[in-house]
Amino acid sequence: MSDELNNNSALAKGGDYAKWLRELKSKIRSTQLRAALAANRELILFYWELGGDISRKLAETNWGAKVIDQLAKDLRSEFPDMQGFSRRNLYYTKKFYEVFSAFPRDAEIVPRLGAQLKNAPQSEDERQTVPRGGAQRIPVIVHQIGGQLPWSHIKILLDKVSDYKESLFYINQTIENGWSRDVLALQIKSDLFARQGSAISNFKNTLPEPQSDLAQQTIKDPYTFDFLTMTRPYNERDIESQLVEHITKFLLELGKGFAFVGRQYHLEVGETDYYLDLLFYHIKLKCYVVIELKNTKFIAEYAGKLNFYLSAVDSLLKTDSDNPTIGILLCRDKNKIETEFALRDINKPMGVSEFTLTEILPEELKGSLPTVEEIEADFNQLEETASPNDEV
C-alpha cells in the first residue's frame, strides 16, 4: 500500500499526470462555457466522458485507484464552485461509463404503446453520435437519458440494479411516470420489474391490440400494500377502508393513469342493488376499471361475479367514447392453472393478482411473547447447565 501511495504521489507530480490533468481542466472549462455544466444533458454527457477518461487511465497506467483521491483534490481546487468532483462521485462516473458501455449497442429507451406513433424516427446522426472530443462513441441510451434522467437517479440504478434489461425498464418507467429519486428507490426495492405485467389475465382474448398489451402491462402481480398495517381478524371492507385512507400511496402502487371514482360504488341492475368494491377510470386505457378485493384464495366463482359487474358498468356507466371496462381481482393466493381455467371462457377483460400487506401482532399476542431479556436469560441458563461436550 505504501509503495502505491508513493508511486501515486510521484506520478501526481510527474509529466504524464500533469498533462492529463491539464486536458481535463480544459475539457471542464469548455463544458462550463457551453452550458455552465447546469443543463442536465451536458452534465450527464460530461460525466460519461469523465468516467471514460478515468477508466481508461486506470487500465493503461500503473497509477492505482488511489490516484482518484488526488484527482478529486486537484479538480476541487481548480473548480471550487462546482459540485461533482468528490472522490465518491468520480467513482460513480467511472462506474457509469463501465456499466453503460457493457449495454448492447442497440439498447435504448422504447416509447410506450401509443407514444411510439407520436415520436418521429431518429436520424442516423442522432443514433450514432460521436462525443465532442473524439473517437469514443456515446451509446444511444446515454444520449437519451442525458436529457431526461437526473444524475441522482442514475446513481440509484448503478447502486441497486445490475441487469441491463432491468435498468432499461426502470429508466423507461421513471421518465414516463416522472418518479422522484425516492419513488424510484421504492419501486426497485419492491421489485416492480418482476411484478409488472405478470398477472394472469384474458386480455389477449377479450381486447384488441395494442390495448390488450397496454392493459397487461398496466397490472402487476403481486400488488404490495406495505403501507397498510392490519391486525387480524380483518375483512375486505377493512382493507378497502385503509386503501382509500391511503389513496395517494394506493394510486402509486396501481401505477400512472388510475383516477379514483369511488368505493362501494352503487349500481342498480333491475331492482337489485350492487356495490363495487373500488371503481377507477384509467386515463390511458380510456376505460373504467373495477377492482374487487377478496381476502381469501381465488375461486372460480369470483371471476363470474366480476364478469357480471363489468357488464353492468358497460351498460350503465360506459359511454361510446370509452373502451370496454376492465376488471382486476385481488386475492391473497391463487393457483395458476385453476385461475387460467376460470378466465378461459369469460367474455369480459379481467386479470387476477395476489396482494400482500403488512400484518401487525395483536396486543394480546404481543403480551404472551417472551422479551429479548427473557430469551437471553434462558439462553444463558442453558449454557450454564450444558456439559463441556454438549453442543448448544
Side-chain angles (χ1 to χ4, degrees), residues 84-253:
F85 295 135
S86 67
R87 173 183 178 276
R88 178 178 177 82
N89 204 60
L90 292 183
Y91 271 105
Y92 269 119
T93 66
K94 175 178 177 290
K95 187 174 183 181
F96 175 44
Y97 172 81
E98 292 172 348
V99 168
F100 279 75
S101 290
F103 279 23
R105 287 195 58 80
D106 59 350
E108 59 182 309
I109 298 171
V110 180
R112 290 291 296 273
L113 292 168
Q116 296 178 7
L117 301 178
K118 300 177 184 178
N119 295 337
Q122 290 178 304
S123 68
E124 185 64 20
D125 288 340
E126 288 176 313
R127 295 180 61 84
Q128 298 293 341
T129 46
V130 179
R132 298 171 291 275
Q136 179 65 33
R137 289 186 181 275
I138 301 179
V140 173
I141 184 65
V142 174
H143 273 284
Q144 290 179 321
I145 65 176
Q148 304 182 76
L149 206 64
W151 179 240
S152 61
H153 291 59
I154 294 174
K155 290 193 294 183
I156 289 178
L157 292 172
L158 294 174
D159 281 338
K160 299 183 179 298
V161 181
S162 57
D163 179 75
Y164 87 90
K165 291 183 180 179
E166 189 172 348
S167 290
L168 286 177
F169 170 81
Y170 286 115
I171 289 169
N172 275 295
Q173 291 289 321
T174 298
I175 292 172
E176 181 183 357
N177 297 296
W179 286 344
S180 67
R181 181 181 182 277
D182 290 340
V183 170
L184 171 60
L186 178 65
Q187 298 290 14
I188 294 173
K189 183 178 180 181
S190 72
D191 199 16
L192 179 63
F193 176 68
R195 297 188 293 125
Q196 191 80 38
S198 59
I200 299 174
S201 77
N202 64 356
F203 294 152
K204 285 191 177 298
N205 298 326
T206 56
L207 293 173
E209 292 186 352
Q211 191 187 18
S212 60
D213 294 331
L214 183 55
Q216 184 65 43
Q217 289 304 312
T218 298
I219 62 176
K220 310 168 185 175
D221 188 29
Y223 284 85
T224 303
F225 303 143
D226 56 5
F227 51 88
L228 304 185
T229 53
M230 309 292 291
T231 303
R232 288 183 181 273
Y234 55 85
N235 55 34
E236 289 92 347
R237 293 293 178 88
D238 297 327
I239 300 172
E240 288 172 27
S241 179
Q242 281 216 30
L243 287 176
V244 174
E245 184 178 340
H246 299 84
I247 190 65
T248 301
K249 293 180 179 178
F250 183 28
L251 289 173
L252 176 62
E253 175 62 10

Side-chain angles (χ1 to χ4, degrees), residues 231-232 360-370:
T231 303
R232 288 183 181 273
I360 58 177
L361 293 172
E363 291 299 325
E364 61 271 17
L365 181 57
K366 288 181 182 178
S368 65
L369 293 177

Side-chain angles (χ1 to χ4, degrees), residues 55-96:
S55 180
R56 286 189 294 274
K57 283 296 179 182
L58 291 179
E60 295 168 359
T61 69
N62 63 348
W63 292 351
K66 283 294 182 180
V67 77
I68 295 180
D69 295 347
Q70 182 67 45
L71 180 61
K73 178 180 177 182
D74 290 333
L75 292 180
R76 282 183 295 184
S77 175
E78 184 72 17
F79 305 100
D81 296 330
M82 294 180 62
Q83 297 181 349
F85 295 135
S86 67
R87 173 183 178 276
R88 178 178 177 82
N89 204 60
L90 292 183
Y91 271 105
Y92 269 119
T93 66
K94 175 178 177 290
K95 187 174 183 181
F96 175 44

Side-chain angles (χ1 to χ4, degrees), residues 176-352:
E176 181 183 357
N177 297 296
W179 286 344
S180 67
R181 181 181 182 277
D182 290 340
V183 170
L184 171 60
L186 178 65
Q187 298 290 14
I188 294 173
K189 183 178 180 181
S190 72
D191 199 16
L192 179 63
F193 176 68
R195 297 188 293 125
Q196 191 80 38
S198 59
I200 299 174
S201 77
N202 64 356
F203 294 152
K204 285 191 177 298
N205 298 326
T206 56
L207 293 173
E209 292 186 352
Q211 191 187 18
S212 60
D213 294 331
L214 183 55
Q216 184 65 43
Q217 289 304 312
T218 298
I219 62 176
K220 310 168 185 175
D221 188 29
Y223 284 85
T224 303
F225 303 143
D226 56 5
F227 51 88
L228 304 185
T229 53
M230 309 292 291
T231 303
R232 288 183 181 273
Y234 55 85
N235 55 34
E236 289 92 347
R237 293 293 178 88
D238 297 327
I239 300 172
E240 288 172 27
S241 179
Q242 281 216 30
L243 287 176
V244 174
E245 184 178 340
H246 299 84
I247 190 65
T248 301
K249 293 180 179 178
F250 183 28
L251 289 173
L252 176 62
E253 175 62 10
L254 288 178
K256 186 177 181 181
F258 283 88
F260 180 60
V261 177
R263 173 196 173 206
Q264 289 298 306
Y265 193 90
H266 174 249
L267 293 177
E268 184 176 345
V269 180
E271 297 182 355
T272 305
D273 294 322
Y274 294 93
Y275 297 88
L276 312 180
D277 287 349
L278 296 161
L279 182 64
F280 292 83
Y281 190 88
H282 198 280
I283 308 301
K284 282 193 172 183
L285 291 171
K286 291 184 169 55
C287 68
Y288 286 99
V289 180
V290 177
I291 296 181
E292 284 292 296
L293 280 166
K294 298 298 178 184
N295 191 35
T296 61
K297 182 180 178 180
F298 172 81
I299 57 175
E301 287 82 354
Y302 294 159
K305 184 177 181 181
L306 181 56
N307 191 66
F308 172 80
Y309 285 161
L310 299 182
S311 295
V313 173
D314 281 342
S315 296
L316 301 176
L317 300 180
K318 177 182 173 298
T319 66
D320 292 340
S321 61
D322 296 324
N323 287 317
T325 304
I326 289 174
I328 302 176
L329 182 60
L330 299 180
C331 53
R332 295 309 299 270
D333 191 16
K334 67 181 185 300
N335 177 277
K336 183 176 185 295
I337 296 177
E338 182 181 2
T339 304
E340 290 174 347
F341 265 73
L343 298 185
R344 180 174 295 179
D345 295 322
I346 295 289
N347 62 3
K348 293 294 184 181
M350 67 178 68
V352 179

